[in-house]
Amino acid sequence: MIGAGRVSMIHFDAHADTGDIEFGSLWGHGQPMRRLIESGAVRGDRFLQVGLRGYWPPPETLEWMATQRMRSYEMTEIVQRSLRECLTEAFTIATDDCDGVFLSVDIDVCDPGHAPGTGTPEPGGLSARELLDAVRRICLELPVVGMDVVEVSPPYDHADITAALANRVVLEALCAIARKGKDLREGTRWDPLLPLLSERPAPIPEGTIPQHHHTHLGHDQEK
């Protein structure tokens, strides 16, 4: 059992979700991460956000986030440094003095062209490919103890684009966790550069003799 404060968070989102009181309420879809940190369940200095953009939060909320020592990777930084480099840095922070990582994916981290079915779309986000690759890498390399996928809104979706992406995010995570377990058991390592069929021998057509086949005919018979 992992104790409170021993789990870090990697949070993919267009928005920080660290608001305080909105419309007179402490609870809403723009406030859960603030409440989570305030509860002590996750340390602010082990809370990594990826994909922030747009015109929110306001200065007072950013000041609160800085006080908590949160680390937020905005899309401007990700574009300049690359998503791979930012994730590598985030992994180092997330695994320092923590026993597990919780992965939270708000689907609006992706550009609306890749995920239109969400309540608060923000232009200029990650592509579907970038998100799937990031989720797979996280689940392969980090001790993920749980995850969620949120903000998928079917009424706003088009041709099930967003629903299909959300489904694939979950499948990528589950498959990566399963592959990680297999590699730990068998001492193997998944190599993304390896062609899909490289370890699968081609079937031998019926009636042909493989090149390595040796006959048992005598010398005279072979003549």
Side-chain angles (χ1 to χ4, degrees):
M1 187 74 176
I2 298 175
R6 299 292 297 179
V7 176
S8 60
M9 171 84 83
I10 295 182
H11 172 217
F12 285 83
D13 204 330
H15 313 95
D17 288 353
T18 50
D20 191 6
I21 299 175
E22 297 179 16
F23 305 107
S25 175
L26 289 169
W27 305 97
H29 75 112
Q31 301 144 288
M33 302 313 174
R34 187 175 189 133
R35 303 286 91 91
L36 186 66
I37 293 172
E38 288 176 339
S39 74
V42 179
R43 288 165 46 178
D45 63 347
R46 295 298 181 273
F47 200 108
L48 297 309
Q49 298 183 307
V50 181
L52 302 191
R53 60 192 187 276
Y55 303 101
W56 193 95
E60 59 270 20
T61 302
L62 291 173
E63 290 172 6
W64 181 88
M65 292 167 62
T67 301
Q68 305 304 312
R69 298 172 60 197
M70 298 175 67
R71 181 63 167 96
S72 301
Y73 296 89
E74 294 181 295
M75 283 305 303
T76 49
E77 180 180 357
I78 291 171
V79 169
Q80 293 299 314
R81 295 181 59 194
S82 84
L83 179 59
R84 172 176 289 276
E85 183 178 328
C86 290
L87 286 178
T88 297
E89 181 179 282
F91 289 7
T92 300
I93 300 171
T95 53
D96 179 29
D97 198 31
C98 283
D99 300 318
V101 176
F102 190 93
L103 171 61
S104 181
V105 178
D106 185 325
I107 207 67
D108 70 24
V109 73
C110 283
D111 188 89
H114 294 252
T118 188
T120 50
E122 290 282 359
L126 298 178
S127 69
R129 178 74 271 153
E130 288 174 319
L131 176 60
L132 294 176
D133 287 347
V135 167
R136 184 192 309 116
R137 184 183 170 195
I138 288 168
C139 292
L140 278 171
E141 298 183 20
L142 300 182
V144 174
V145 296
M147 73 170 295
D148 62 26
V149 180
V150 301
E151 299 281 3
V152 177
S153 179
Y156 295 161
D157 209 0
H158 172 71
D160 296 330
I161 293 173
T162 315
L165 175 57
N167 176 69
R168 185 56 61 86
V169 167
V170 175
L171 288 178
E172 289 288 344
L174 291 175
C175 290
I177 291 171
R179 177 65 201 226
K180 181 178 180 179
K182 178 180 185 295
D183 287 345
L184 287 173
R185 290 191 307 271
E186 301 179 7
T188 54
R189 184 175 182 272
W190 179 68
D191 183 359
L193 297 178
L194 206 60
L196 176 65
L197 304 178
S198 61
E199 296 179 340
R200 298 174 183 268
I204 300 171
E206 187 176 351
T208 62
I209 299 176
Q211 291 183 353
H212 64 272
H213 181 77
H214 299 285
T215 64
H216 297 284
L217 298 175
H219 180 72
D220 293 337
Q221 292 174 298
E222 286 180 337
K223 290 182 179 179

